[in-house]
Amino acid sequence: MSEKGKWKGYQNGSVWEISQLTDFLDEALHNDMDIVKGGGIEVLNVPASFDIETSSFKLVNKDGEEDKFATMYIWQFGLNGSVIYGRAWEEFIDFCKQLVDYLHLSFHRRLLIYVHNLGYEFQFMQKWFKWDKIFAIKNRRPVYAISGGLEFRCSLFLSNYALAYIGDNLLHTYPIKKLVGNLDYSKNRHSKTPLTDKELAYCINDVKVVMSYIQEKIEQDGDITKIPLTNTGYVRNYCREECFFEGCKSEKERQKVFLNYKSLMKSLTITDKEEYQQLHRGFMGGFTHAGCLHANKICYNVGSADLTSSYPFAMLAQYYPMSKSEYIGNISEAKLFKYYLEKYCCIFDIQFVNLRPKEEFENPLSLSRCVTSGKVVTNNGRIVSADECKTTLTELDYDTISKFYTWDSYKIMNLRVYQRGYLPKALILSILKLYEDKTSLKGVIGKEVEYLVSKNMINAAFGMMVTAIIRDEFCFDGKWHKEKADEISQLTAYNKNFNRFLFYAWGVWVTAHARHNLFSAIYEFGEDYIYSDTDSIKGINFESHAKYFEDYNNKVFDKLLQMCNHYGIPFSKCQPLTKNGEKKLIGLWEMEKPYASFKTVGAKRYIYQYEDGFVNMTVSGINKKFAIPYLIAKWNDIDMNSEEFKTIKK
């Protein structure tokens, strides 16, 4: 760091070939590096990054069939702002050995090396290292991999953003951009293929972007050991601190708050693996679907509305399981079943006989979440009707299903009930603070990074609640394989975890409430309903549904006020001020700009046009930045090599 506290490595502009290793190290390590301690090990407090470029090709084997191959043709390594590169794996391995010797690295003294999408690079580098420890949350997707004193970490898991987005939006102290378009991926290359200055610059900038990102994280978080493994780790650490200590100043106050919260956690445990498995079955994400009455049709004068921070609102103002479960079991008495549904958080398995629709415009039950038999009719992954259908529901889901389906009979099995209550005050205050930061920072010049951080954190607040408790382990011993989870030991460890501040069941009800809120709008729109996506709805004749939106928003106000009165929280925290000084209440339906025309062909696949002629689209897996100009050119028979097309692209 310089006298002004700025990272000197940002000024390191040289690019070194592997033959210039000594020069590279002299530049990268021109200052003594800080050594920090974390997790019982020493860590070099500097940014480091590794990346490779590869080519894929096919060769015809002796049987006349095509086999797929891939080869690495350049590697780049960045350390403290400086970059070195080579063309062969043998060079990289030799480089790593010299780096370990030069920096005196060992398993207890490490250099953290960030790789953007480590899972990809690992497929190429796996055989070149002896691995001491690998942690993966998915097959072939390591979060980190340790070999001696080198710990490779995945910066994609940390950021949740593509490298180009990081360069364009997240770097302000040490800005550098990914050179998109400088490298033609359709061209096959190998380690002897000459690279142009433009192509080499593309490769070098990839590791420079990651180094700048990590250096900014080092400065924001305190040191490199405080950077969590994943993006969710930030909000988890923040909320845990608030829940355990609530900003207490004195040690006596902190201890009292901590013990009270730990007492709450001891009262919120999962009884056995059957309960966890049922909660896991009952957990569903947001509802995204196209209404069958209008799919594949061009609709005109289409309105759109969004729920403001749907999941955070549900966490603030709605009820949750606040006790251990009570196992009721099978139940046949309708009156008693209704009583439980009205008074408790309920989760149960249910079997419908001769399930059929009450309404045509939407079908809430997902085929993937059900076990069916006999004749089954589906609508793009949703069940329209079934001779028999078995699934797991909460009381909120059952209320929705009752509005959209009818049946001849049903059987309730494995009913579990929990006492209802608000989430803990400290957790609610944490969510309110994150919402305030996101609202007040949006659009403020000079606060772009802080806004994106707060936005990421409030979006991740829900995700931390539903991290799977029982998980198979993905291991690597030369090949990837999955080891079956020890369910009892993992569940016991969860219940006894000293740092636990969340209850898995809370996450199940967050999405259940959010879906229930969304389906109230879908049901209201009826045949006017076109499309929905987790916290938004699109439909025709919006003006005729104005009363619904007004009533819903009034209920949001009342629910938030009731929660604030219960905990003694100032209501102003639920409606922080925007940069323009306007109050923005969380959880409201807000009207979006209407569409002159709109067409959807399914979930995450729609295109629309505004009155002014502007065209936009959302299609999963397609970059609309390139797709929209292409479509406009095709519609208007414009030559894509012409100046007119270049104007469209701008």
Side-chain angles (χ1 to χ4, degrees):
M1 302 286 284
S2 70
E3 307 80 33
K4 295 183 180 180
K6 293 295 183 181
W7 176 43
K8 264 194 172 181
Y10 184 59
Q11 305 301 325
N12 294 345
S14 302
V15 177
W16 308 96
E17 297 181 19
I18 188 60
S19 59
Q20 301 168 301
L21 175 60
T22 302
D23 294 329
F24 163 75
L25 291 173
D26 285 345
E27 181 185 74
L29 307 176
H30 50 67
N31 284 340
D32 292 335
M33 289 184 291
D34 293 335
I35 303 295
V36 290
K37 291 186 177 182
I41 62 170
E42 293 183 343
V43 181
L44 277 66
N45 195 34
V46 292
S49 177
F50 173 65
D51 184 38
I52 65 174
E53 295 299 337
T54 65
S55 277
S56 300
F57 53 93
K58 297 177 182 179
L59 294 177
V60 178
N61 61 30
K62 62 181 181 180
D63 298 321
E65 299 173 340
E66 286 188 335
D67 291 330
K68 294 181 180 179
F69 293 88
T71 184
M72 182 272 292
Y73 61 84
I74 185 173
W75 58 265
Q76 312 90 254
F77 188 93
L79 177 64
N80 204 20
S82 300
V83 180
I84 191 169
Y85 73 92
R87 305 297 299 271
W89 280 112
E90 291 83 358
E91 293 173 337
F92 181 64
I93 299 307
D94 184 62
F95 163 76
C96 287
K97 289 177 180 178
Q98 295 191 57
L99 192 65
V100 167
D101 290 341
Y102 193 92
L103 298 174
H104 309 293
L105 301 178
S106 68
F107 187 78
H108 300 289
R109 176 187 167 99
R110 296 182 203 162
L111 175 67
L112 305 187
I113 305 162
Y114 284 86
V115 185
H116 210 68
N117 192 6
L118 176 59
Y120 182 79
E121 267 76 4
F122 189 81
Q123 300 310 308
F124 291 86
M125 63 193 291
Q126 59 188 24
K127 67 179 180 180
W128 292 97
F129 290 85
K130 180 182 178 181
W131 300 105
D132 298 306
K133 185 177 180 181
I134 295 172
F135 172 62
I137 57 176
K138 295 179 180 178
N139 190 32
R140 301 177 183 272
R141 294 291 305 278
V143 179
Y144 64 77
I146 302 172
S147 178
L150 304 177
E151 180 173 332
F152 296 90
R153 288 191 175 187
C154 184
S155 52
L156 181 58
F157 277 123
L158 173 64
S159 67
N160 278 348
Y161 287 117
L163 204 56
Y165 185 91
I166 292 175
D168 289 343
N169 298 279
L170 299 187
L171 303 180
H172 286 261
T173 308
Y174 309 111
I176 188 164
K177 293 184 181 293
K178 179 178 174 65
L179 299 178
V180 177
N182 275 25
L183 194 66
D184 182 0
Y185 277 94
S186 66
K187 181 180 178 181
N188 281 335
R189 302 176 179 87
H190 53 75
S191 61
K192 301 298 183 182
T193 304
L195 298 177
T196 66
D197 290 344
K198 185 177 179 181
E199 290 170 333
L200 184 59
Y202 174 96
C203 302
I204 300 305
N205 269 42
D206 276 6
V207 288
K208 281 184 169 287
V209 170
V210 174
M211 279 193 289
S212 283
Y213 176 66
I214 297 304
Q215 180 61 32
E216 291 195 12
K217 287 293 181 188
I218 289 172
E219 295 178 19
Q220 291 163 12
D221 297 352
D223 66 59
I224 200 165
T225 67
K226 294 181 174 64
I227 301 175
L229 290 173
T230 65
N231 188 260
T232 307
Y234 280 108
V235 69
R236 188 184 297 274
N237 293 342
Y238 168 72
C239 291
R240 180 189 290 114
E241 179 74 14
E242 292 300 306
C243 289
F244 283 174
F245 305 116
E246 290 186 30
C248 298
K249 302 296 183 184
S250 72
E251 185 60 34
K252 186 176 181 180
E253 285 181 316
R254 288 168 65 89
Q255 188 172 7
K256 181 181 178 181
V257 169
F258 176 75
L259 291 176
N260 286 340
Y261 202 91
K262 293 307 297 180
S263 178
L264 172 64
M265 287 296 100
K266 287 181 180 179
S267 72
L268 297 175
T269 55
I270 296 176
T271 307
D272 50 38
K273 67 178 184 179
E274 286 75 25
E275 178 186 355
Y276 171 71
Q277 288 167 351
Q278 188 175 35
L279 287 168
H280 194 60
R281 289 196 305 272
F283 169 67
M284 291 180 281
F287 182 84
T288 304
H289 208 232
C292 60
L293 299 183
H294 299 283
N296 294 305
K297 299 176 183 177
I298 298 177
C299 301
Y300 300 95
N301 300 318
V302 174
S304 178
D306 282 356
L307 277 169
T308 307
S309 299
S310 174
Y311 285 0
F313 165 75
M315 295 165 70
L316 296 175
Q318 301 190 283
Y319 65 76
Y320 289 88
M322 293 303 295
S323 71
K324 287 184 180 179
S325 68
E326 179 184 354
Y327 183 73
I328 307 299
N330 298 355
I331 187 169
S332 57
E333 186 181 339
K335 187 175 181 181
L336 183 59
F337 180 48
K338 182 180 179 183
Y339 168 79
Y340 284 124
L341 293 175
E342 291 176 350
K343 299 296 184 181
Y344 294 88
C345 290
C346 302
I347 192 161
F348 51 91
D349 301 322
I350 186 168
Q351 184 173 28
F352 298 106
V353 175
N354 194 18
L355 182 75
R356 53 198 185 277
K358 281 184 181 179
E359 308 292 349
E360 286 187 286
F361 53 87
E362 190 52 279
N363 312 110
L365 277 172
S366 173
L367 180 64
S368 64
R369 295 284 177 172
C370 300
V371 177
T372 59
S373 61
K375 183 180 179 182
V376 180
V377 178
T378 62
N379 162 25
N380 197 18
R382 301 285 164 176
I383 294 178
V384 177
S385 63
D387 288 347
E388 286 191 1
C389 174
K390 183 179 178 181
T391 190
T392 302
L393 302 174
T394 67
E395 77 287 353
L396 296 160
D397 298 314
Y398 180 81
D399 182 61
T400 296
I401 299 305
S402 299
K403 288 182 172 69
F404 286 83
Y405 295 94
T406 187
W407 48 82
D408 287 350
S409 62
Y410 65 82
K411 182 179 180 182
I412 304 297
M413 299 158 287
N414 303 316
L415 171 63
R416 286 181 170 84
V417 300
Y418 306 79
Q419 298 288 338
R420 294 179 179 180
Y422 290 118
L423 292 179
K425 180 180 180 181
L427 185 55
I428 283 177
L429 286 170
S430 300
I431 303 304
L432 285 170
K433 180 63 168 65
L434 294 175
Y435 178 67
E436 178 187 8
D437 290 346
K438 174 190 170 186
T439 302
S440 61
L441 293 171
K442 186 175 183 179
V444 177
I445 296 174
K447 295 291 183 179
E448 294 84 359
V449 172
E450 289 88 342
Y451 167 70
L452 286 170
V453 168
S454 64
K455 182 180 177 181
N456 281 343
M457 287 183 71
I458 196 167
N459 289 343
F462 150 72
M464 68 181 179
M465 288 187 172
V466 288
T467 301
I469 300 171
I470 298 175
R471 292 187 289 185
D472 295 334
E473 294 185 13
F474 295 96
C475 305
F476 181 81
D477 56 6
K479 292 183 179 180
W480 285 101
H481 65 278
K482 182 166 66 173
E483 291 187 0
K484 198 69 178 172
D486 185 337
E487 297 178 327
I488 301 300
S489 65
Q490 288 190 16
L491 189 56
T492 300
Y494 168 83
N495 285 331
K496 293 183 176 181
N497 187 347
F498 190 73
N499 284 319
R500 182 169 67 89
F501 68 104
L502 299 169
F503 185 35
Y504 181 80
W506 292 347
V508 177
W509 263 261
V510 171
T511 54
H513 278 300
R515 285 192 307 275
H516 193 252
N517 295 338
L518 176 65
F519 270 108
S520 72
I522 294 173
Y523 189 74
E524 155 70 25
F525 267 71
E527 294 184 357
D528 291 340
Y529 159 72
I530 297 176
Y531 183 85
S532 61
D533 188 350
T534 307
D535 57 2
S536 66
I537 187 168
K538 306 182 191 300
I540 55 177
N541 301 319
F542 246 59
E543 63 283 350
S544 65
H545 303 287
K547 185 67 165 55
Y548 162 79
F549 290 116
E550 180 183 351
D551 290 345
Y552 182 95
N553 287 348
N554 287 336
K555 289 177 182 176
V556 165
F557 182 94
D558 292 341
K559 288 179 179 179
L560 288 168
L561 183 60
Q562 185 177 352
M563 178 276 295
C564 287
N565 289 338
H566 175 79
Y567 276 132
I569 296 174
F571 188 74
S572 59
K573 290 185 175 294
C574 298
Q575 49 181 5
L577 301 180
T578 67
K579 69 169 187 174
N580 297 322
E582 300 169 349
K583 294 178 181 179
K584 189 172 179 64
L585 188 66
I586 191 171
L588 299 179
W589 278 111
E590 293 187 338
M591 299 302 111
E592 299 291 302
K593 186 177 178 180
Y595 312 124
S597 57
F598 178 94
K599 182 178 180 179
T600 179
V601 296
K604 303 290 186 182
R605 290 171 290 166
Y606 58 85
I607 189 167
Y608 53 91
Q609 186 173 28
Y610 292 117
E611 287 289 349
D612 61 7
F614 181 79
V615 176
N616 210 342
M617 68 186 297
T618 294
V619 179
S620 180
I622 292 181
N623 189 329
K624 58 187 176 185
K625 177 182 176 181
F626 300 103
I628 291 297
Y630 171 80
L631 289 174
I632 292 175
K634 294 290 284 186
W635 290 338
N636 296 281
D637 197 24
I638 297 172
D639 183 355
M640 284 182 280
N641 294 315
S642 66
E643 290 298 319
E644 186 178 1
F645 181 69
K646 292 179 182 178
T647 302
I648 294 172
K649 288 179 70 176
K650 292 178 182 178

